[in-house]
Amino acid sequence: MSKKSDIQQVQKHLVSLDGQSRRAFLRAMFYTAGAVGSASWLVGCGGGDSVQGDSLTPTPADPVTPVVPTPPPEEPGLVGRFADLGPLEDPDIYGVRSPAGFTTRVVAINNELPQPNGMAAASPTPGGIGNRPWHIFPDGAGVVPRDNGGWIYISNSEVPGIGSLGFTFPALSGLTNIIEQFTPGLAQVGTLVFDPDGTIVDSYTILTGTTFNCAGCVTPWKTWLSCEEFPNGQVWECDPFQAGEGLARPTLGFFSHEAVAIDPNERLLYLTEDMPDGRFYRWVPDPADWPEGAERAALQAGRLQVMAVGGDGVEGALTSPQPITWIDARNPHLPQNEHRIAESTAFDGGEGVWYFNGIVYFATKGDNRIWAVDIAAQTVEIIYDLATAEAPNNILSGVDNLFVTNQGDVLVAEDGGDMQIVAILPDRTLKPIVQVVGQDASEIAGVAFSPDGRRMYFTSDRGGRNGFGGFTNGLGMVYEVLLPDSL
């Protein structure tokens, strides 16, 4: 069979799978095939106001003072940026459905060099920007502002490796974790550098040699945290302002990392684990690692903790907030799937996580739920549950990446589902923002905004050209949507 026929057969099989099965299939396929700042909501994980400092060198420790919890500021009357959004119109030439007034362009396609004004719809354009074609399977992403008014879009590459087999087959994780240490991963993190007018002026890589990098986080000090999703995966800190390599941050734990969110007020990090029996974590820095008043955490020493839901438990969270406690992780320097704490609470497939206004939101794909952790009250509740949602709000499935606007909209990207980005408004009604059609083997991820909020970026992890001037299933692409002035 020809390579083209092989790809067509794989694409047909992918379309027949749901989002969770599709991911497992891709991991197995890649291994057996031999693929051995103006506002806080504009950054990649709700990490607070951007601050100066483009270096990974930790800020010297200030004198240690006791941490006094500060209650989050109240924001009464939030109605949501997308509350008055109109219906989605017919697909444009890029396969994107959006409301009236939205304009779409493609800014990156796998195996092609980015172009200054985006990618031509009909066919690849010779030449381009950067010295490496755009990576395959672009996934989680974020944006950092540049000093000249431009910005940098940062994009993970979700390429499986040997370690990923331990995710698909947990009984093998002990062996695959060992082999992974001696086998360089094929994932990477790439960038698109924009000038203030939206022209792409550069593209380079800031991390290579890792495995299955899913989501991550733009830090308040303008670095990028990239998460490896396999049982012995780590978090890597990268400098988005220049080509180079990231630094592993082992203090953040060893597990199938999906995403990170940072509460800069309480100086805490929150992390999701994408496994059926995954946990929800927080990282508490040692006092000298992130002293009060310091610009950044060194991310070298702290305590990894897991959440335990009390009261009426997880099911009670469907109807009212439930109390939570935190337990120090057992053997935090070892794979956590082998060192579970029975008293901690399992969450079925942790995905995106975001800090906003004293609340940490996170998604679990196995049960299609969106959770909200109230930091001051130390409670958790479910704000969206597909199984109990009633029309017209039962339009969200395959929950994955999250992004929260400064008006309180929780934007949820779908892995499968209807290939939509859906906004959960502050009143908990739902609004579809965009939908990608003709790419049913793909998923949406990488939601981020330019610093002025006018341009929304997202990926189709497994979208690509169809050879006839349109787009279909492929190896990944990045969209930009220009929002109307009314938003």
Side-chain angles (χ1 to χ4, degrees), residues 311-466:
D312 294 324
V314 166
E315 294 309 309
L318 280 166
T319 56
S320 62
Q322 300 299 312
I324 60 173
T325 56
W326 298 94
I327 307 169
D328 286 349
R330 179 179 297 132
N331 298 322
H333 58 290
L334 296 175
Q336 287 299 291
N337 70 309
E338 300 174 4
H339 298 272
R340 299 294 191 205
I341 297 174
E343 296 79 12
S344 62
T345 300
F347 292 93
D348 191 355
E351 291 287 345
V353 60
W354 198 278
Y355 168 81
F356 171 70
N357 226 24
I359 304 294
V360 178
Y361 299 92
F362 69 97
T364 50
K365 68 183 180 187
D367 47 20
N368 281 297
R369 288 173 171 173
I370 307 297
W371 306 72
V373 178
D374 187 317
I375 294 173
Q378 287 296 284
T379 59
V380 65
E381 63 178 311
I382 298 168
I383 65 168
Y384 176 80
D385 174 61
L386 177 61
T388 57
E390 298 180 355
N393 286 332
N394 57 348
I395 61 172
L396 176 59
S397 63
V399 301
D400 201 306
N401 281 190
L402 294 187
F403 185 104
V404 182
T405 73
N406 65 343
Q407 288 95 333
D409 314 82
V410 181
L411 308 188
V412 186
E414 290 187 325
D415 178 356
D418 294 320
M419 283 288 289
Q420 297 184 116
I421 298 174
V422 177
I424 302 176
L425 302 177
D427 65 2
R428 299 191 185 180
T429 59
L430 274 60
K431 284 270 190 175
I433 299 177
V434 296
Q435 180 183 24
V436 176
V437 300
Q439 300 176 29
D440 293 338
S442 187
E443 64 178 277
I444 291 181
V447 180
F449 285 76
S450 59
D452 62 3
R454 290 291 315 284
R455 301 169 191 261
M456 181 178 74
Y457 297 92
F458 64 92
T459 72
S460 175
D461 282 30
R462 292 175 289 279
R465 297 187 186 277
N466 65 8

Side-chain angles (χ1 to χ4, degrees), residues 105-309:
R105 67 171 175 166
V106 173
V107 293
I109 300 178
N110 72 90
N111 205 37
E112 298 181 26
L113 290 172
Q115 305 290 321
N117 295 311
M119 316 299 284
S123 62
T125 303
I129 295 168
N131 56 10
R132 297 184 66 166
W134 191 249
H135 52 261
I136 65 173
F137 299 162
D139 199 88
V143 164
V144 293
R146 300 172 62 205
D147 290 341
N148 70 346
W151 58 94
I152 301 172
Y153 180 79
I154 311 160
S155 173
N156 281 348
S157 176
E158 192 186 40
V159 180
I162 291 176
S164 304
L165 284 177
F167 179 99
T168 307
F169 308 104
L172 299 177
S173 63
L175 175 62
T176 57
N177 285 340
I178 294 173
I179 299 174
E180 174 73 29
Q181 296 181 43
F182 300 98
T183 308
L186 299 176
Q188 60 181 274
V189 178
T191 62
L192 296 172
V193 182
F194 291 84
D195 267 352
D197 64 355
T199 301
I200 301 171
V201 295
D202 203 356
S203 177
Y204 47 82
T205 302
I206 59 175
L207 178 66
T208 60
T210 51
T211 293
F212 217 62
N213 294 61
C214 287
C217 175
V218 172
T219 68
W221 48 91
K222 297 197 294 186
T223 63
W224 171 250
L225 300 182
S226 183
C227 296
E228 290 184 299
E229 186 192 349
F230 70 95
N232 202 31
Q234 296 191 71
V235 177
W236 296 74
E237 187 172 18
C238 311
D239 181 355
F241 292 90
Q242 59 185 353
E245 298 297 335
L247 299 173
R249 298 304 189 192
T251 187
L252 298 182
F254 294 80
F255 53 90
S256 293
H257 287 273
E258 177 71 28
V260 185
I262 300 177
D263 174 359
N265 299 313
E266 303 299 333
R267 303 192 300 285
L268 297 170
L269 275 66
Y270 294 87
L271 309 97
T272 50
E273 180 181 16
D274 189 356
M275 293 195 80
D277 65 340
R279 267 45 175 183
F280 187 71
Y281 299 84
R282 78 174 183 183
W283 180 79
V284 183
D286 287 353
D289 192 281
W290 194 355
E292 185 175 3
E295 287 186 336
R296 61 157 295 156
L299 299 180
Q300 294 178 356
R303 294 157 56 204
L304 186 69
Q305 299 181 323
V306 290
M307 178 193 286
V309 181

